[in-house]
Amino acid sequence: MLKFLVLAALVLPVSPSWAADGIAQLRQFVSATRSAEGEFDQTVMARSGRRPQQSSGTFAFARPGKFRWEYQMPYPQLLVGDGERLWSWDRDLNQVTVRPMGDALGSTPAAILFGKVELDQDFELADGGTSDGVVWVNARPRKADSTFESMRIGLAEGQLRRMELRDNFGQTTLIVFTRWLANPPLDATRFRFVPPEGADVIGSN
């Protein structure tokens, strides 16, 4: 699974339409949110039961395919999608990995945030019920070669609250969106990346 999946409270007007079920709220979110920025907390839980790995950071995105996902804790790492390439920079190692983005976002959890999503084409959607004031949508990829098995998307009043991702190895990633500003003006330079001087660059740019 792409690490940026391990992809904040969404600011949207509240209206009676948010009384709709989870799938309707998800469709509205995807169609109405063209860009966003905010903060997240992430927890990765292994099937083996070992101690969960926790991290946090900030993000920004502009559909389709442009994003900046920055881990700040427990150690810094930056992922940038410029629409054509995916850049990953490990600051401690000063190592950069780059690869073509292609159609990689099509049926991945990241597509819900960053991609040009055709929900019914890319995912099988089902009502996931309501718990703790959050309406859930269950989603499974239609492509057999997807790197993840299933996803739960939690929304409240039209706002994206949580994403729970389960990969094909039984690992579960929980992303809690702690701050989210919807559709802000974003400087295009935030989605550009130039390898730092002296960095070891792996891949083709």
Side-chain angles (χ1 to χ4, degrees):
M1 183 183 296
L2 294 179
K3 194 166 184 178
F4 59 79
L5 299 178
V6 222
L7 336 301
L10 171 64
V11 179
L12 285 175
V14 176
S15 71
S17 65
W18 299 135
D21 63 23
I23 294 178
Q25 289 193 41
L26 178 60
R27 294 187 194 283
Q28 176 65 21
F29 165 75
V30 169
S31 65
T33 309
R34 309 311 304 168
S35 64
E37 63 180 347
E39 300 171 357
F40 67 91
D41 292 332
Q42 176 181 306
T43 304
V44 179
M45 296 160 284
R47 183 167 54 184
S48 65
R50 72 170 183 262
R51 185 177 179 178
Q53 300 175 357
Q54 296 182 321
S55 56
S56 61
T58 64
F59 73 91
F61 72 82
R63 296 181 190 270
K66 295 183 179 181
F67 60 90
R68 185 182 186 90
W69 191 271
E70 186 164 10
Y71 292 93
Q72 298 173 334
M73 298 289 293
Y75 56 86
Q77 185 173 18
L78 175 64
L79 297 104
V80 176
D82 62 13
E84 297 181 357
R85 294 151 297 188
L86 172 63
W87 301 86
S88 176
W89 178 32
D90 186 316
R91 299 189 186 189
D92 290 340
L93 298 177
N94 199 20
Q95 182 179 84
V96 175
T97 302
V98 58
R99 56 182 167 177
M101 189 174 297
D103 297 324
L105 294 182
S107 58
T108 70
I112 299 295
L113 294 178
F114 315 136
K116 183 178 181 180
V117 184
E118 298 291 343
L119 284 174
D120 295 301
Q121 176 179 312
D122 296 328
F123 302 97
E124 295 179 6
L125 303 177
D127 177 31
T130 303
S131 60
D132 298 324
V134 177
V135 177
W136 292 94
V137 177
N138 297 328
R140 289 184 176 273
R142 292 189 181 276
K143 291 184 179 180
D145 60 350
S146 176
T147 55
F148 84 104
E149 178 183 299
S150 62
M151 168 174 54
R152 298 181 74 221
I153 305 160
L155 305 103
E157 297 181 340
Q159 302 178 15
L160 185 62
R161 300 295 191 184
R162 298 187 176 195
M163 297 180 77
E164 295 183 6
L165 322 170
R166 184 177 176 85
D167 67 24
N168 292 326
F169 300 99
Q171 179 173 268
T172 299
T173 299
L174 170 63
I175 302 173
V176 178
F177 299 104
T178 58
R179 185 180 71 84
W180 187 306
L181 177 63
N183 298 318
L186 297 174
D187 193 320
T189 59
R190 297 181 70 175
F191 309 117
R192 297 173 188 161
F193 182 83
V194 177
E197 185 176 354
D200 182 17
V201 180
I202 301 173
S204 174
N205 58 4

